[in-house]
Amino acid sequence: DNYVRHLQSGLQIIEEYDHIAPTIVAAIQQRPDSEQILDLIYEEGVRPIVFLLDNGRQEEALALCLTGLHILKEKFLALTTSDPERIVG
């Protein structure tokens, strides 16, 4: 958060993440394969981001995080909302 907070659009990024992440997790938890999905997100998303952060590569970590968030929104929220702004916005 500290790195992102100081970016020009940092507060907007943090607010969107704080708003959308719980909704994505809730949508995943309703699926019968939720444990496998969450494990995959951890292995292919969280761990690489932590690695980048641990190595001082904040910009790359943020890019990976935002890309992952976009993919998760498209995959899991497209089926649970009729508000197109929430899906692609």
Side-chain angles (χ1 to χ4, degrees):
D1 274 6
N2 208 18
Y3 169 77
V4 176
R5 189 174 312 280
H6 291 93
L7 297 174
Q8 184 175 356
S9 60
L11 291 178
Q12 180 183 355
I13 292 169
I14 291 169
E15 287 175 8
E16 179 181 2
Y17 177 85
D18 288 347
H19 172 76
I20 205 72
T23 307
I24 292 170
V25 171
I28 292 170
Q29 288 177 331
Q30 299 209 4
R31 295 174 51 108
D33 57 348
S34 63
E35 190 173 324
Q36 292 86 1
I37 293 169
L38 293 172
D39 286 345
L40 184 65
I41 291 169
Y42 178 75
E43 289 299 322
E44 293 188 9
V46 175
R47 287 186 66 178
I49 291 169
V50 170
F51 173 82
L52 291 169
L53 292 171
D54 286 347
N55 288 281
R57 297 162 59 183
Q58 290 87 354
E59 192 172 324
E60 291 174 78
L62 176 59
L64 184 58
C65 182
L66 293 176
T67 299
L69 185 61
H70 178 74
I71 291 167
L72 293 172
K73 282 169 49 176
E74 294 264 323
K75 183 163 182 77
F76 296 106
L77 297 188
L79 301 175
T80 61
T81 183
S82 60
D83 180 2
E85 277 300 307
R86 258 180 105 185
I87 297 171
V88 296

